[in-house]
Amino acid sequence: MRIRRLPAELINQIAAGEVVERPASVVKELLENSLDAGSARIELELEQGGIRLIRIRDDGCGIARDDLSAALASHSTSKIASFDDLVRVASLGFRGEALPSIASVSRLSLASRSRDAAGGWALEGDGRELPREPAPAAHPVGTTVEVRDLFYNIPARRKFLKSERTEFGHVLEVVHRIALSRFDVELRLVHNAKPVLRLPSAEARPAREARLAELLGAEFVAHSLFIDHEAAGLRLWGWVGLPTYNRAQADQQHFFVNARMVRDRLVSHAVRQAYQDVLFHGRHPAFVLYLELDPALVDANAHPAKHEVRFREARLVHDMLFRTLHEVLADARAGREAAPVAAAGDTPAALPPGPREQQRLPIGAAAPPFGAAVPQAVHERMAAYARLHGAGEVWAASAPPARGTPRAEAAAAETGMPPLGFALAQLAGIYILAENAHGLILVDMHAAHERLTYERLKVALERDGIRSQPLLVPVTLAVSASEAAAVEEGQEALAGLGLELAAIGPQRVIVRRVPALLAGGDIEALARAVLAELVEHGSSRGVIDALNELLATMACHGSVRAGRRLSLAEMNALLREMETTERSGQCNHGRPTWVQLTLLELDRLFLRGR
Ligand code: ADP
Ligand code: MG
């Protein structure tokens, strides 16, 4: 075959192979064009999931008569003119490929009127790019693009389209994402003549949260924290789902960089790391986050569909993301945020204690808040508890009980009561019941203690490694050959955890030293769990990842078991410690460790008006 230049129509169809996969990709390109045109209001109308018709109408800047033809020519764009522009591009599009590609695989028509034009003009596209004469058309300022019969001329691609419902599902996903990216733009979506979405523009936070609720569900809004942080020229804001509101799929993770939706590895890694301590394996957090930075610091030209970006200061961005989210999640701790099930309006901060609450203080609570008079007694009880249950330093380390964060103390001073209140009783050997200024607090004893143990192990590990202690009677256990091998290879990791294990046969392992913190626990169960994780993760994972997971395992085995009786003093000590420990609102598995039932909620249970 001779070498020849491809006809424009074919070039565009090849380009369409990259950009236009299904109706949803057309919708994405058209919506982005409307946003780039500065529209305040966009209407989308679809038939048959977009396969038969996609019509988009916007009130943006419009296209001048003499540019209509150019808009349909390949590599023609009004958005950049030089490589310099490309480096600091702030628009969503810039390749000038979308309209000609779409026109080459559908019946496309374009009608528009620019701001200063006396009337509108229209043009049909056919992918051939011959200069054509626009015809006059009645049109308000803005643009309408109509795309009919997608892939009508490429049966092979049309065959790969799925059912109308599936295709519409994909479209909806795109529309949702765009709607999340620009709260200031009003959006409407109609499918088969039925209105599907009506999203008014939303500036204030409540209006934005209403849009969020519409798109992600009210649950998400009720179980997320709003953040807005600025550091080193970066601004990160948005909604972070509480770890307790976790999902089986990563389907509620939205990240925008300068209002462009991205799926970026660096970003996901930073987010995953920030959540890793508070989420159970295999569960996914939910978030809607916006990163804003100088466009010159991001390269959007890294991917044809522009899903990925390249950060020029990748390390900085990663650190800022991780740090901010990590802190926010750590702050979602006892006494500082509403317990996960408390209704949004009932957060402790929103409910100043009335006289009635103060009357309800338990006897003895009138004494200065925990920390001054009581600690000696508590310390003794804790020490006794520790001796009894071998949880040793887990408790002793907190003596005298930590004084509390400034916020916790301020709250205590205001109400005369610490945020998590004072213990009343233990229920079923599982729950601690406590009374605070707002009503009843229920604590899952094991989950809470597990969290405290974990945090303490982590702090200890970071500070000076874990102190280990030899076992008076070493424990031997039968293991699999691969576990025995893992012991050989994992000596260093194990030593770092205060464990000394040795293989004493092809399928036998002896445990000689364990962390002092855990010496009183079930050594065999601990060793087995650690071995299982060592085998599963081997050396392929980051050491810290593995360590944290091992710590979580160890914490689980070193924590008070359900069914154990605690005295009031012990329960109070636990509550005080929860108040001062990072992330104690979540157990290591992402379940809540405590919940608040406000007096209001209790009254409602009894149909008692207040
Ligand atoms: P790109 O968006 O990469 O520039 P497109 O092929 O998507 O390329 O669009 C080509 C050009 O057509 C744009 O650069 C813009 O000037 C014009 N255009 C497309 N859609 C619109 C619209 N809705 N409003 C105003 N101008 C538009
Ligand atoms: Mg475009």
Side-chain angles (χ1 to χ4, degrees), residues 239 368 467:
W239 292 263
R467 214 156 54 70

Side-chain angles (χ1 to χ4, degrees), residues 29 32-33 36 79 93-94 98:
E29 293 295 335
E32 290 189 346
N33 278 349
D36 282 345
K79 296 168 194 174
F94 52 79

Side-chain angles (χ1 to χ4, degrees), residues 177-517:
R177 263 191 237 120
I178 297 273
L180 288 174
S181 78
R182 293 286 300 272
F183 287 102
D184 55 325
V185 176
E186 175 176 349
L187 262 175
R188 291 183 183 204
L189 172 63
V190 170
H191 186 216
N192 292 337
K194 281 197 229 49
V196 178
L197 275 179
R198 277 183 88 131
L199 302 169
S201 72
E203 265 316 307
R205 206 171 112 201
R208 292 179 171 200
E209 290 182 347
R211 181 180 283 207
L212 273 184
E214 172 96 24
L215 299 172
L216 297 176
E219 283 288 285
F220 172 77
V221 179
H223 298 278
S224 60
L225 303 171
F226 178 77
I227 64 162
D228 193 346
H229 281 250
E230 241 179 299
L234 309 175
R235 177 178 176 217
L236 180 70
W237 64 278
W239 292 263
V240 179
L242 288 168
T244 36
Y245 176 78
N246 54 47
R247 324 248 324 150
Q249 278 119 39
D251 60 342
Q252 294 198 341
Q253 306 192 341
H254 299 276
F255 199 92
F256 302 88
V257 176
N258 290 343
R260 181 196 300 282
M261 193 279 297
V262 299
R263 270 189 230 110
D264 186 82
R265 288 227 229 121
L266 175 101
V267 168
S268 348
H269 183 263
V271 174
R272 211 169 340 107
Q273 263 204 333
Y275 271 96
Q276 88 169 2
D277 282 353
V278 287
L279 265 198
F280 193 52
H281 243 359
R283 301 293 298 180
H284 302 270
F287 53 83
V288 178
L289 286 170
Y290 303 85
L291 180 67
E292 290 170 10
L293 72 172
D294 181 349
L297 295 177
V298 246
D299 182 358
N301 189 26
H303 187 277
K306 311 181 209 84
H307 284 322
E308 280 174 26
V309 289
R310 216 174 285 134
F311 293 104
R312 292 196 209 287
E313 303 275 354
R315 181 90 241 142
L316 183 76
V317 170
H318 185 280
D319 278 8
M320 147 37 141
L321 273 176
F322 170 74
R323 257 170 233 275
T324 308
L325 296 179
H326 188 74
E327 263 165 43
V328 167
L329 294 170
D331 273 358
R333 68 187 171 194
R336 291 190 57 173
E337 289 300 333
V341 299
D346 287 345
T347 62
L351 255 186
R356 177 160 165 204
E357 277 88 351
Q358 286 183 353
Q359 278 166 22
R360 282 168 153 243
L361 291 185
I363 306 156
F370 232 75
V374 206
Q376 205 39 48
V378 174
H379 185 199
E380 278 162 20
R381 298 299 286 266
M382 288 195 313
Y385 174 86
R387 279 195 298 278
L388 211 62
H389 303 300
E393 311 186 1
V394 171
W395 291 90
S398 69
R403 300 276 312 284
T405 60
R407 291 234 339 225
E409 277 181 357
E414 259 167 44
T415 62
M417 190 175 252
L420 291 178
F422 294 104
L424 300 171
Q426 195 179 0
L427 178 69
I430 298 175
Y431 300 106
I432 294 171
L433 310 186
E435 174 171 11
N436 73 352
H438 311 291
L440 182 66
I441 295 271
L442 282 160
V443 177
D444 178 333
M445 218 171 72
H446 174 68
H449 193 201
E450 184 177 335
R451 164 52 59 188
L452 298 181
T453 309
Y454 176 60
E455 289 297 334
R456 202 170 303 118
L457 284 169
K458 240 172 54 173
V459 168
L461 179 68
E462 266 160 34
R463 205 186 37 223
D464 38 32
I466 290 181
R467 214 156 54 70
S468 76
Q469 133 184 346
L471 289 174
L472 285 179
V473 185
V475 175
T476 55
L477 51 157
V479 297
S480 71
S482 56
E483 283 171 330
V487 165
E488 296 283 274
E489 285 157 24
Q491 281 303 316
E492 212 172 301
L494 289 169
L497 291 165
L499 285 163
E500 188 185 318
L501 271 67
I504 49 170
Q507 297 189 5
R508 266 193 109 57
V509 160
I510 185 165
V511 187
R512 295 212 174 91
R513 294 177 77 94
V514 296
L517 293 179

